[in-house]
Amino acid sequence: MSSSASRRTLAAACAAALLGTAFLAPAFAQDPSSRLAQSETRLEAIRLERQRLRQDLAGIAGQFATDSAQLVNIERQIAASSSLIAEFDVQLGVLGNLLSDMTRDILLTRDRLTANRAVLNERLRHIYKRGPLETIEALLTSRSFSDLLNRYKYLREVAVFDRMLVNQVAELEVRLADQRSSLGRDTERVKRIRAENLREYQELGRLEQQRQERLQAFSGRRAEARSTLTRLAAEEQELRNLIADLEARRRSAEIEAGPVTVSAFTTSDLGNLPWPVRGEILWQFGPDSDGRTTIPREGIGIGAARGAPVRTVHGGAVVSVAARTYGQTVIIDHGGGYYSSYQKLQGVVVGEGQRVEMQQVIGNVGGDAANPHIEFHIYEPGTPGPRAVDPLRWMRRRRDPGGGGS
């Protein structure tokens, strides 16, 4: 091989090597690892928040909570799922760009490795053909000392280039293996994120369905509560009208015949009357709100065993026995504008016009099937008619949480 041809071959190989090195420079300025790390931090925070929301919802479900509290919790879970999906989209975008850049780098590295291997193979074939004496022959056939120095420099450059070519081929092989390994890891990561993204979309769909079910249940319960409130208000008004009518009749009779009734209730009875039945107080006197509706309460609710005897709190005359929602109602006139009302009874054993004594049995505990109880009212004289008051101001202080005293 002539000196000029060898130099041209060496120059071309060096140019190709330098060109390949330029192609191996980083393909993007921003570091995607930092963006992925930030996204992972946000994902972890969102996951922890959603876990807390799920625990809160489980706690709410175990209580007599409002539908609105459950809806607020579900809305927050929906927002958390949407945030997770957004973060997954960020990660998929970053990893998609990273995979594209990595694929391009792998192709460039592979092309560079193929070119360098071709050059290296050509050099090996040339060395094999010429043999190891070519170097000595090139030096010994020099025409002058300057020609000898030039040939020595050239041969030294060829040796340096050969070593560089071998090292570069080895480095490119390692680089290609690392890039393929990184590509495999990131590809698996993309698959995992896509699977999580799919699960999150399914979770979002489940939450949306749960939200719709809660809204429907809320609408149904609201309609039911409105109906119940209307019915209770009507019954309370009917009872007030009945008490007012009874009091008007009593007063009319007194005007015609003179005072004929004396109140059985006296100030000494305040805090001393016996309880109509032993049991737990279910609700107090006054408006009662469950978070959705406000229910008028003109008496107290007393829970007791179904069929337990219900007794009068004082002597008087039975002025009304009527069937109402969830049972029968007995009203006793204690004289002087004082009345007591016993509602949600079953098995009433007294009739209108009958005189009763204190602690006489008038019926048994009724109420609804799941919650047997009675409702007890006391009315005091008022203007224009009797008014409902808190029965507890007349009743004995209970000796134990579940008992009413006798």
Side-chain angles (χ1 to χ4, degrees), residues 116-298:
N116 283 10
R117 279 177 176 171
V119 173
L120 182 59
N121 290 336
E122 181 63 26
R123 287 288 300 141
L124 292 175
R125 283 195 297 270
H126 178 74
I127 292 172
Y128 178 76
K129 289 180 180 180
R130 295 294 184 178
L133 294 177
E134 179 187 5
T135 301
I136 299 176
E137 180 182 355
L139 292 174
L140 293 178
T141 56
S142 301
R143 297 186 181 88
S144 63
F145 183 73
S146 61
D147 187 26
L148 175 65
L149 290 178
N150 289 334
R151 291 189 180 195
Y152 174 77
K153 290 180 180 179
Y154 168 73
L155 291 174
R156 185 175 179 279
E157 288 177 358
V158 169
V160 170
F161 171 73
D162 287 344
R163 284 195 297 271
M164 181 195 70
L165 191 60
V166 172
N167 292 335
Q168 193 174 67
V169 167
E171 291 175 1
L172 288 172
E173 288 176 344
V174 172
R175 183 191 295 268
L176 186 61
D178 291 342
Q179 288 175 338
R180 284 175 174 170
S181 177
S182 298
L183 181 63
R185 289 194 302 270
D186 288 338
T187 301
E188 289 300 319
R189 187 174 184 180
V190 167
K191 290 180 180 178
R192 177 179 58 80
I193 292 176
R194 283 177 177 168
E196 290 186 33
N197 203 18
L198 178 60
R199 287 194 297 270
E200 205 55 47
Y201 270 110
Q202 294 172 346
E203 175 67 10
L204 185 60
R206 186 189 68 81
L207 289 172
E208 287 288 355
Q209 182 179 0
Q210 190 175 6
R211 176 177 174 272
Q212 292 300 322
E213 291 174 354
R214 288 289 189 277
L215 285 173
Q216 292 176 1
F218 180 79
S219 299
R221 290 175 185 171
R222 183 171 57 182
E224 180 182 354
R226 287 177 177 173
S227 175
T228 301
L229 183 61
T230 302
R231 175 177 52 76
L232 289 175
E235 290 186 357
E236 293 285 358
Q237 185 61 46
E238 180 184 355
L239 188 59
R240 284 194 297 270
N241 292 340
L242 177 58
I243 295 291
D245 183 60
L246 293 171
E247 178 65 7
R249 293 179 187 179
R250 185 190 67 81
R251 289 181 178 181
S252 177
E254 286 185 351
I255 292 174
E256 293 180 2
V260 294
T261 62
V262 177
S263 173
F265 280 26
T266 64
T267 55
S268 63
D269 291 321
L270 286 171
N272 289 312
L273 293 183
W275 286 69
V277 67
R278 293 177 60 86
E280 177 186 3
I281 296 178
L282 301 182
W283 64 81
Q284 301 280 353
F285 175 84
D288 182 18
S289 175
D290 64 354
R292 294 189 298 268
T293 57
T294 299
I295 302 174
R297 301 291 193 189
E298 294 193 348

Side-chain angles (χ1 to χ4, degrees), residues 9-188:
T9 302
L10 177 61
C14 290
L18 292 174
L19 184 61
T21 304
F23 275 126
L24 292 176
F28 44 87
Q30 293 183 343
D31 181 14
S33 300
S34 60
R35 294 184 62 191
L36 290 173
Q38 293 172 2
S39 180
E40 284 292 346
T41 301
R42 292 193 296 268
L43 276 176
E44 184 62 24
I46 295 171
R47 288 191 180 104
L48 290 175
E49 173 65 12
R50 190 171 65 176
Q51 182 179 2
R52 184 188 66 78
L53 288 171
R54 286 174 174 172
Q55 292 174 349
D56 289 347
L57 182 60
I60 291 172
Q63 304 169 358
F64 293 101
T66 62
D67 288 322
S68 59
Q70 295 184 11
L71 281 173
V72 168
N73 183 281
I74 292 173
E75 292 286 356
R76 290 177 178 173
Q77 287 196 56
I78 289 175
S81 290
S82 299
S83 298
L84 284 174
I85 290 174
E87 289 301 328
F88 287 143
D89 289 340
V90 169
Q91 292 195 4
L92 288 174
V94 173
L95 287 173
N97 293 333
L98 186 62
L99 290 178
S100 297
D101 294 337
M102 194 174 297
T103 302
R104 185 185 67 241
D105 288 346
I106 287 176
L107 292 175
L108 293 175
T109 302
R110 189 177 61 186
D111 292 344
R112 177 59 189 150
L113 180 60
T114 300
N116 283 10
R117 279 177 176 171
V119 173
L120 182 59
N121 290 336
E122 181 63 26
R123 287 288 300 141
L124 292 175
R125 283 195 297 270
H126 178 74
I127 292 172
Y128 178 76
K129 289 180 180 180
R130 295 294 184 178
L133 294 177
E134 179 187 5
T135 301
I136 299 176
E137 180 182 355
L139 292 174
L140 293 178
T141 56
S142 301
R143 297 186 181 88
S144 63
F145 183 73
S146 61
D147 187 26
L148 175 65
L149 290 178
N150 289 334
R151 291 189 180 195
Y152 174 77
K153 290 180 180 179
Y154 168 73
L155 291 174
R156 185 175 179 279
E157 288 177 358
V158 169
V160 170
F161 171 73
D162 287 344
R163 284 195 297 271
M164 181 195 70
L165 191 60
V166 172
N167 292 335
Q168 193 174 67
V169 167
E171 291 175 1
L172 288 172
E173 288 176 344
V174 172
R175 183 191 295 268
L176 186 61
D178 291 342
Q179 288 175 338
R180 284 175 174 170
S181 177
S182 298
L183 181 63
R185 289 194 302 270
D186 288 338
T187 301
E188 289 300 319

Side-chain angles (χ1 to χ4, degrees), residues 239 328-330 341-345 373-377:
L239 188 59
Q328 294 176 291
T329 297
V330 173
S341 170
Y342 310 78
Q343 302 177 44
K344 300 181 181 177
L345 305 180
H373 65 282
I374 68 166
E375 188 170 346
F376 177 60
H377 295 212

